[in-house]
Amino acid sequence: MKTPDILATVGVIILLAAFGLNLYKKLSAQSKLYSILNFIGAGICCFASYLIRFYPFIVLEGAWAFIALVSLFNVPRGTSSGNE
């Protein structure tokens, strides 16, 4: 296997692990770990796609990684700060 194949395999395993853990209610989609796994997995897949110049997946995985990264810093609406 070439380097892009190995990277893509690792990235996909991370993404599928997050998906499976969420599906079987072991990991909440709102948890930081879920977003971290999505960011890392998608980032690795994006880089692997870049290495083979497969532009549709660069866009897909890049957007996925960006959205996961933004969700790490997103404060849920309607929550209390506790200072009331």
Side-chain angles (χ1 to χ4, degrees), residues 32 37 44-45 72:
K32 291 223 183 261
L37 290 173
I44 291 170
C45 287
L72 282 170

Side-chain angles (χ1 to χ4, degrees), residues 21-22 25-35:
L21 289 169
N22 175 256
K25 303 200 185 328
K26 303 292 182 191
L27 186 61
S28 167
Q30 286 73 39
S31 72
K32 291 223 183 261
L33 180 57
Y34 183 78
S35 292

Side-chain angles (χ1 to χ4, degrees), residues 40-60:
I40 292 171
I44 291 170
C45 287
C46 182
F47 182 64
S49 297
Y50 168 77
L51 291 176
I52 63 169
R53 305 291 191 253
F54 192 58
Y55 298 108
F57 267 56
I58 294 170
V59 173
L60 172 69

